[in-house]
Structures are given as structure tokens and as C-alpha cells.
Amino acid sequence: MTFPKRGTTSVRYYYVCLWWTMSFAEGRLHLVTTTSALGGATSSVTIAPAYAIALDDMAVMYPRLFAPDSLTITAMDMGQYPFSCTPDGVGQTINEFTSAYANAALFSAGDHTIILNAVLCPQLYPTIGDFAREDNVLTFSCGARPPARGGRYPTMTTFFPGSNFDNGIALLALMDRFEWRSIALIHDLNLGAILDYAGRIAGQTVGLLAALESRAHDIDSMIIQMDSTKDMKPQIYYRALWKAANHSRIILCDTLHEPLREIMATAFDLRMTDRNEYVFIYVYIFQVPKEKPAEWNDGDDLDLKVKTAFESMLIIRTEAFNWTQLDSLMQRIVRRGNDTYINKRSQYDPEYIKVAL
């Protein structure tokens, strides 16, 4: 079962809305790109070049709308110092935005202004949204917080890359499709592993449980905890599978790649995969370095058992990344960043304005 990569749909909507807005505008257009961060590692050095590459690609798709002689870009990069997003430092960051916004507004008098907002400091969202409301400026924001309730930002559209709750929605859709009304969730605490791995599993579990709890009236769920990094194996897998099988024939394994193979090999030994009596589900959202997707072939003694057991498994995952394409994109962004920050000219010069803060 595959659903789009997180952010894929949001990016498409973003482009469509931007194209639609620009297609009805007359005269010059003024794009204001905003970034902010805690420090130099995640700042305008990484975000602003990504903006530029995205605009380059859209200029190829829509040459009339994105022609350099009809487009002005102002980059507003705030908080380029440590602790700029902390309670003690965010005030200065907001002041920087206020000053930069005033300069951009003066420069763009008579133009149609659109703000492209990708600030990494969520405390800036209220200020940007309030300014945009008062000046009736259309604003497209990505992350890092939901829009305010009560219509406080009527000119801001916010795009989200997704949340852990989406995993649970996909699980519910699968269960509704086959009219399953019970499920046992084996949750691997993984406390002895790298902290990021344990946190990722915990976050994923939160999303799955929240969705299941919303359907508690018609889906009977049970969670079984274990720890593949501390408990004795394979005994821990036997106990977890025995408890799960006593509750439901639908068993979700919330763990990492290697423990998953061991669990499925144990299920094979218990003959839980012989007659298609049990259905196993695995949720794999992000493909990240050092954490492979679910694969039976690992070149060890478990391969044949896992291969057979995987025939009883359904996998909920995002669309597989095209690493070659992503590498090419990242290389373009890195090159643009180098060009921009050593003062080489871009295709939008002299219209490209770098607001020095």
C-alpha cells in the first residue's frame, strides 16, 4: 500500500496556487522569500538557494510568469546567529523582520507582492501573518505550525508536509477496506538503540494509536510492548506474538528493519504464516540512511524464513525516493548557494535584492 511522499501534494498545491495567483496579476510581481533559523547550519545558506532553484524550475514551466524582467525577488533572512529562536533572542529576530519588511514594502511600491514563507522559527509566524493581513498581502507558508484559529491570518495559506497521524489514517483506510475490526500492535520500545531510532518509533506509535482511539467504538485494538534491544531473544518475540495472536489475527509490527525480520522469522517458526490465518502489517514512512525498508534478503540464515513470512505481510509506506534525482537536486542547491554567497550573479540580477541584516 503506497501513498504520496509527505510534502509531495503540498508542493503541488503550492505551485498551483502560486501559478493561479500570478496568472491573474497585472504588472510586475514581487516575491518576498523569508527564512530564519537558530544558526548558520539551517539558515538562508541552505533555504534561500532552494527557493532560487524552485523558481528556476518554475520559470522553465511558466516562462511568461517567471520572466526576470517581470519578477522582483527580495530575500529576507533573519536570525542568522545562535539562539535567535529562543525566548531571549526571538525579539531581535522579530525586529529584523520588521525592518526588512518595511524596506521591501518601500521597494515594491506598485508591484503585486506575494510572501513565500519558510521560516524555521515558528515565533515569527504571528508577526508575518499580522503584517500580511494589514497590507492585504498573499502569503504562502510551509511548516512549522498550524494557522491561527478564528481567521486571524486571512491572507495566509499554510502547507503541511504531513504528521504522524497520517500513518494512522492510512492504517484505518486499510482496515476499512477489508472490514477488519480488531488489531494487535506490537510496539518495540527500542530503548537501547540510537535515540533517534527510538524517538521515531515512539512518534509513529503515537500517530497510530491516536487514529485507532478515534475508532475505538468499532475497532478493538491492543498494544503489546517489548524491547528488542534489551529483552532476551527470541523469547521476547514468542511472548509478543502469542499475546497478539490471542487478541486478533491482524498484527501490526511497529519496529525497525532488523527486529522486524526476527519477528517474522519467529512467526514462521510458530506456523503463523502457513495458512494465511494471520495478516501482518508494517508501517515504513521515511527511507533514511542506515534504516532500510522491509526486505527479506539480508544474506543471513533468516532469509528463507523471512521470505515466506513476508508473503503474509502488508506494508504501508510512502513512495520510494528517487535518490539519484534527489542527489542531483541537492547538488544544484549547493552550487546555487555557493554562487549566491560568494556574490556571483543569478539570472534575476539586478532585480534580486539581498536584504543585509
Side-chain angles (χ1 to χ4, degrees):
M1 182 177 184
T2 302
F3 54 96
K5 291 191 291 287
R6 290 186 177 184
T8 300
T9 303
S10 296
V11 170
R12 289 174 182 166
Y13 283 144
Y14 169 81
Y15 280 164
V16 169
C17 291
L18 184 58
W19 172 82
W20 182 86
T21 303
M22 297 177 72
S23 65
F24 283 90
E26 298 179 357
R28 292 182 57 84
L29 286 163
H30 181 211
L31 298 183
V32 178
T33 65
T34 62
T35 65
S36 71
L38 300 180
T42 52
S43 63
S44 58
V45 177
T46 52
I47 298 176
Y51 271 135
I53 292 299
L55 291 170
D56 283 351
D57 292 344
M58 292 190 72
V60 174
M61 298 171 60
Y62 310 109
R64 182 182 65 85
L65 296 176
F66 288 86
D69 60 353
S70 63
L71 179 65
T72 299
I73 303 175
T74 299
M76 303 199 312
D77 308 320
M78 291 89 48
Q80 305 305 297
Y81 47 87
F83 312 112
S84 62
C85 199
T86 63
D88 292 335
V90 71
Q92 181 177 341
T93 304
I94 292 175
N95 290 338
E96 290 175 357
F97 169 79
T98 302
S99 176
Y101 182 89
N103 292 335
L106 290 175
F107 176 79
S108 64
D111 292 347
H112 297 278
T113 299
I114 300 174
I115 295 178
L116 306 181
N117 179 34
V119 297
L120 302 180
C121 182
Q123 288 89 333
L124 272 173
Y125 271 71
T127 303
I128 294 173
D130 289 339
F131 276 42
R133 180 191 66 242
E134 295 303 315
D135 289 340
N136 197 29
V137 174
L138 182 63
T139 303
F140 295 102
S141 294
C142 298
R145 62 182 297 170
R149 298 181 181 274
R152 178 176 173 179
Y153 311 132
T155 63
M156 178 182 288
T157 298
T158 304
F159 300 89
F160 294 98
S163 68
N164 283 320
F165 190 71
D166 298 334
N167 311 340
I169 295 300
L171 175 62
L172 293 180
L174 178 64
M175 297 189 66
D176 287 340
R177 172 66 177 81
F178 294 103
E179 299 182 353
W180 295 330
R181 289 296 172 258
S182 68
I183 186 171
L185 191 154
I186 298 177
H187 172 48
D188 187 357
L189 297 174
N190 229 288
L191 297 178
I194 300 173
L195 182 60
D196 287 347
Y197 287 171
R200 190 186 317 142
I201 294 176
Q204 183 168 281
T205 304
V206 168
L208 295 172
L209 292 179
L212 290 171
E213 287 173 3
S214 71
R215 293 285 298 277
H217 61 283
D218 66 340
I219 295 180
D220 185 12
S221 60
M222 174 183 181
I223 183 169
I224 299 126
Q225 291 187 340
M226 68 171 197
D227 192 334
S228 63
T229 62
K230 293 185 176 182
D231 297 326
M232 185 176 295
K233 296 183 287 188
Q235 289 85 345
I236 183 61
Y237 300 138
Y238 283 111
R239 288 197 295 269
L241 288 169
W242 179 79
K243 292 178 181 179
N246 279 335
H247 178 76
S248 175
R249 56 182 292 267
I250 312 302
I251 301 174
L252 189 148
C253 302
D254 194 15
T255 184
L256 297 173
H257 170 71
E258 189 55 38
L260 174 69
R261 296 181 73 254
E262 295 171 350
I263 291 174
M264 295 308 294
T266 305
F268 176 89
D269 291 337
L270 292 173
R271 305 191 67 178
M272 296 177 68
T273 60
D274 282 0
R275 300 181 300 275
N276 294 324
E277 180 180 357
Y278 294 95
V279 177
F280 294 87
I281 300 175
Y282 181 59
V283 178
Y284 182 79
I285 299 303
F286 285 129
Q287 183 167 337
V288 297
K290 300 182 180 180
E291 181 52 34
K292 299 184 292 185
E295 297 174 348
W296 66 266
N297 186 3
D298 215 20
D300 58 21
D301 295 338
L302 298 181
D303 279 357
L304 294 181
K305 292 182 179 181
V306 177
K307 180 180 180 181
T308 301
F310 269 27
E311 294 177 358
S312 301
M313 174 172 285
L314 295 174
I315 299 176
I316 299 175
R317 66 157 298 166
T318 54
E319 180 182 348
F321 288 114
N322 184 331
W323 292 108
T324 302
Q325 182 180 7
L326 286 178
D327 287 343
S328 176
L329 176 62
M330 290 306 300
Q331 289 173 6
R332 292 175 60 203
I333 293 173
V334 170
R335 285 197 298 269
R336 177 58 64 88
N338 291 337
D339 291 343
T340 301
Y341 286 93
I342 60 175
N343 298 319
K344 290 187 177 180
R345 299 169 69 85
S346 74
Q347 66 158 323
Y348 294 106
D349 283 345
E351 268 59 49
Y352 185 91
I353 303 298
K354 177 67 172 67
V355 178
L357 297 174

